[in-house]
Amino acid sequence: MEKFTKLISQAVPLSIENVDTDQIIPARFLKATSKIGFGENLFRDWRYNADGSKKESFVLNDNKYSGKVLVAGENFGCGSSREHAAWALEDYGFKVIISSYFADIFKGNALNNGLLPIQITKEKLTKLLEFLKDNPKAELQVDLENQVLLLEAIQLNESFDIDPYKKMCLINGHDDIDFLISKKETIEAFETQKH
């Protein structure tokens, strides 16, 4: 995983509530076991018509919006526990997802795959979504080390919570296995002492 400390990026406003994992990545695309390539089918049924042409009305197909931050409506990532939803978001290029509520399993899957889910109040989320719709070039600042989300134009200066272990993993670019490997010398020293 890439190391994550700070991010300054434009954002994509997805003003839809109750986005479940089947909408993020439909079940028919779950046959692959590699994390690569899922981004092209992110929000597949919302992004494309049956003939494969892009739906111009969908926000990811609107050229005025781009960035590594997805600002979504309330209750993002509900539904099944599929990890592929996090794979698709990360493979598409998102690094941060902002909502007023995340399903617990989705939140865990996101953190395990290098995505930072940031939860803010519903009122601040509504204000942020409305601002971004009219100001697509606005840049959000995400400071993981200090756990702060900033957007000066609307006086957004929001602290966010994150599990300390997951924070450390993101900052160091570690998944759980990388973390264990980083402790190899300590583990070997412990094992040597034990014998």
Side-chain angles (χ1 to χ4, degrees), residues 33-44:
T33 54
S34 166
K35 297 179 183 183
I36 308 299
F38 279 93
E40 67 187 55
N41 292 310
L42 177 67
F43 300 119
R44 179 69 190 203

Side-chain angles (χ1 to χ4, degrees), residues 40-152:
E40 67 187 55
N41 292 310
L42 177 67
F43 300 119
R44 179 69 190 203
D45 295 333
W46 291 348
R47 281 172 65 195
Y48 298 98
N49 294 304
D51 64 3
S53 61
K54 288 184 178 180
K55 293 181 181 178
E56 299 303 323
S57 61
F58 188 62
V59 68
L60 291 188
N61 296 330
D62 189 334
N63 291 333
K64 70 182 175 187
Y65 298 111
S66 65
K68 296 182 177 186
V69 179
L70 178 67
V71 182
E74 185 174 21
N75 193 23
F76 188 84
C78 55
S80 76
S81 61
R82 68 183 64 159
E83 190 174 18
H84 303 75
W87 294 1
L89 289 157
E90 193 276 333
D91 190 55
Y92 185 83
F94 290 118
K95 298 294 177 200
V96 174
I97 313 294
I98 300 171
S99 180
S100 57
Y101 181 79
F102 293 99
D104 288 339
I105 293 174
F106 172 81
K107 189 174 185 178
N109 286 338
L111 288 165
N112 289 338
N113 286 281
L115 280 172
L116 175 60
I118 297 177
Q119 190 167 328
I120 61 176
T121 67
K122 190 169 185 176
E123 294 74 27
K124 289 182 181 174
L125 179 64
T126 299
K127 186 176 182 180
L128 179 57
L129 283 166
E130 288 173 0
F131 179 80
L132 291 172
K133 284 180 193 172
D134 296 328
N135 299 276
K137 299 300 179 196
E139 291 186 327
L140 288 163
Q141 297 178 48
V142 179
D143 181 343
L144 177 56
E145 291 176 310
N146 295 303
Q147 295 176 218
V148 177
L149 171 65
L150 297 166
L151 181 56
E152 292 178 9

Side-chain angles (χ1 to χ4, degrees), residues 18-25 43 46 75-80:
N18 304 312
V19 176
D20 68 44
T21 52
D22 195 51
Q23 292 158 331
I24 296 170
I25 184 74
F43 300 119
W46 291 348
N75 193 23
F76 188 84
C78 55
S80 76

